[in-house]
Amino acid sequence: MKQYILALDQGTSSSRAIVFDEMGKSCAVAQREFRQIFPKSGWVEHDPEEIYQNVVQVAKNLLG
């Protein structure tokens, strides 16, 4: 049975999922950006629920 690794990368502007095979080769990638919220000059915030939903979605895109 082949084995794969699902890696999740949470960046400052997007969520990404990558699937690697047994040899460490990238097999598939999914990425989804999320909103940047600027409440004040020089500040940036993110909606944690939106980030969570993005992570779930990119993982489902690769595993589904």
Side-chain angles (χ1 to χ4, degrees):
M1 173 191 276
K2 285 190 173 187
Q3 295 183 355
Y4 296 91
I5 294 174
L6 172 64
L8 299 171
D9 172 39
Q10 185 55 59
T12 56
S13 62
S14 70
S15 305
R16 179 178 304 169
I18 308 170
V19 173
F20 296 94
D21 68 13
E22 294 171 320
M23 302 303 291
K25 181 181 174 190
S26 173
C27 299
V29 177
Q31 182 176 354
R32 187 173 185 152
E33 293 184 1
F34 51 84
R35 290 179 301 132
Q36 307 291 303
I37 304 165
F38 301 99
K40 291 185 181 181
S41 179
W43 289 23
V44 64
E45 296 179 353
H46 301 101
D47 178 353
E49 181 63 29
E50 183 180 6
I51 291 172
Y52 173 76
Q53 292 301 325
N54 281 359
V55 170
V56 170
Q57 189 59 51
V58 293
K60 283 183 175 182
N61 287 351
L62 295 185
L63 300 176

